[in-house]
């Protein structure tokens, strides 16, 4: 299993279509990136380039797929992703189907494609390619509904599920905002009882620190678009203030 699930690790979402973003995040010191195919128009060709660049830059490349579709999961893993975050996994049965899509037989249903990036363009032996897919590829369901909260322990215990990811924003939309903190705490406890690491998203550095202090093993902090927008706003505001002060 990847070290990203064993020790406090910091990542960020990649939403912009330029692979340069990935290189910038590597230089910034992030441990991993999550290329977001759920809430962007990124295509698989660009995603593969980002995956390769992340690996070459020393970062772990994860991909959030748009849905549970096994063919999409397979293509992302064939592109060399270290693992997938899968949105809106609400039951242990759904988690089992997602996990099987990530694994080769007899543990799952993933088809072999060892001549692509995941097989180092055919340089890995079939045995090593299959071993890597079954032992090292990360399957991370996102729990983001009231039903998922109730099923959290069962989902976390599904064979082939390596961790769970807390989807606080969608959970708040599903159940309302008043109980979200308590529900997230319940999911954390259930996952840990099942022996599964927990990850979460944070909008700010302070929120990321709080999540790590709460025991989350990995946190996805902010995203490339928000960081660019914030820096742009701050730069313009600073120049305007300086200009006003000197006039």
């Amino acid at each position: 299993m990847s070290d990203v699930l064993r020790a406090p690790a910091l990542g960020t979402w990649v939403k912009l279509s330029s692979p340069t973003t990935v290189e910038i995040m590597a230089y910034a010191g992030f441990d991993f990136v999550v290329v977001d195919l759920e809430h962007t128009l990124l295509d698989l060709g660009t995603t593969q380039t980002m995956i390769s660049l992340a690996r070459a830059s020393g970062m772990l490349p994860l991909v959030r797929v748009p849905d549970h579709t096994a063919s999409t999961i397979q293509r992302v893993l064939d592109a060399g992703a270290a693992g997938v975050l899968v949105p809106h996994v609400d039951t242990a049965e759904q988690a089992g189907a997602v996990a099987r899509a990530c694994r080769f037989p007899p543990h799952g249903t993933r088809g072999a494609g060892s001549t692509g990036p995941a097989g180092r363009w055919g340089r890995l032996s079939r045995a090593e390619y299959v071993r890597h897919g079954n032992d090292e590829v990360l399957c991370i369901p996102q729990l983001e509904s009231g039903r998922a909260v109730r099923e959290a322990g069962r989902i976390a215990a599904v064979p082939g599920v390596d961790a769970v990811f807390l989807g606080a924003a969608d959970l708040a939309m599903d159940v309302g905002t008043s109980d979200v903190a308590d529900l997230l705490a319940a999911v954390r406890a259930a996952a840990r009882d099942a022996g599964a690491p927990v990850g979460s998203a944070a909008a700010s550095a302070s929120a990321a620190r709080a999540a790590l202090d709460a025991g989350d093993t990995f946190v996805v902090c902010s995203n490339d678009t928000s960081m660019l927008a914030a820096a742009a706003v701050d730069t313009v505001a600073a120049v305007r203030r300086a200009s006003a002060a000197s006039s």
Side-chain angles (χ1 to χ4, degrees), residues 152-165:
R154 293 184 65 225
I155 291 171
V158 167
V161 167
D162 297 293
V164 296
F165 190 82

Side-chain angles (χ1 to χ4, degrees), residues 161-220:
V161 167
D162 297 293
V164 296
F165 190 82
L166 307 178
D170 281 334
L171 178 60
M173 293 182 68
D174 185 55
V175 303
T177 58
S178 59
D179 297 329
V180 169
D182 290 340
L183 293 175
L184 293 178
V187 172
R188 287 183 169 106
R192 288 171 193 145
D193 286 346
V198 176
S200 60
S204 65
S206 59
R209 185 68 260 169
L212 293 171
D213 289 344
D216 292 355
T217 304
F218 60 107
V219 176
V220 185

Side-chain angles (χ1 to χ4, degrees), residues 8-86:
L10 184 63
T12 192
W13 303 106
V14 172
K15 296 175 176 290
L16 294 172
S17 60
S18 173
T20 301
T21 294
V22 173
E23 189 173 16
I24 290 170
M25 298 308 167
Y27 283 129
F30 284 101
D31 300 302
F32 66 96
V33 289
V34 185
V35 181
D36 187 5
L37 299 186
E38 183 187 15
H39 291 297
T40 72
L41 298 180
L42 284 168
D43 60 48
L44 290 178
T46 302
T47 298
Q48 179 178 314
T49 300
M50 289 177 167
I51 290 168
S52 297
L53 185 54
R55 287 196 180 278
S57 301
M59 282 192 309
L60 196 75
L62 302 176
V63 175
R64 176 160 67 177
V65 292
D67 51 40
H68 300 188
T69 307
S71 59
T72 300
I73 292 172
Q74 176 169 304
R75 294 183 74 187
V76 165
L77 296 179
D78 284 348
V84 291
L85 276 69
V86 185

Side-chain angles (χ1 to χ4, degrees), residues 57-141:
S57 301
M59 282 192 309
L60 196 75
L62 302 176
V63 175
R64 176 160 67 177
V65 292
D67 51 40
H68 300 188
T69 307
S71 59
T72 300
I73 292 172
Q74 176 169 304
R75 294 183 74 187
V76 165
L77 296 179
D78 284 348
V84 291
L85 276 69
V86 185
H88 300 293
V89 175
D90 294 328
T91 67
E93 290 71 26
Q94 290 176 351
V98 166
R100 289 190 295 275
C102 293
R103 312 296 176 201
F104 296 112
H107 307 292
T109 58
R110 179 182 169 189
S114 60
T115 57
R120 298 182 188 173
W121 305 103
R123 302 302 297 166
L124 283 184
S125 68
R126 176 58 65 89
E128 178 60 16
Y129 167 72
V130 170
R131 185 208 64 76
H132 181 274
N134 284 338
D135 296 344
E136 297 186 31
V137 162
L138 300 175
C139 175
I140 307 174

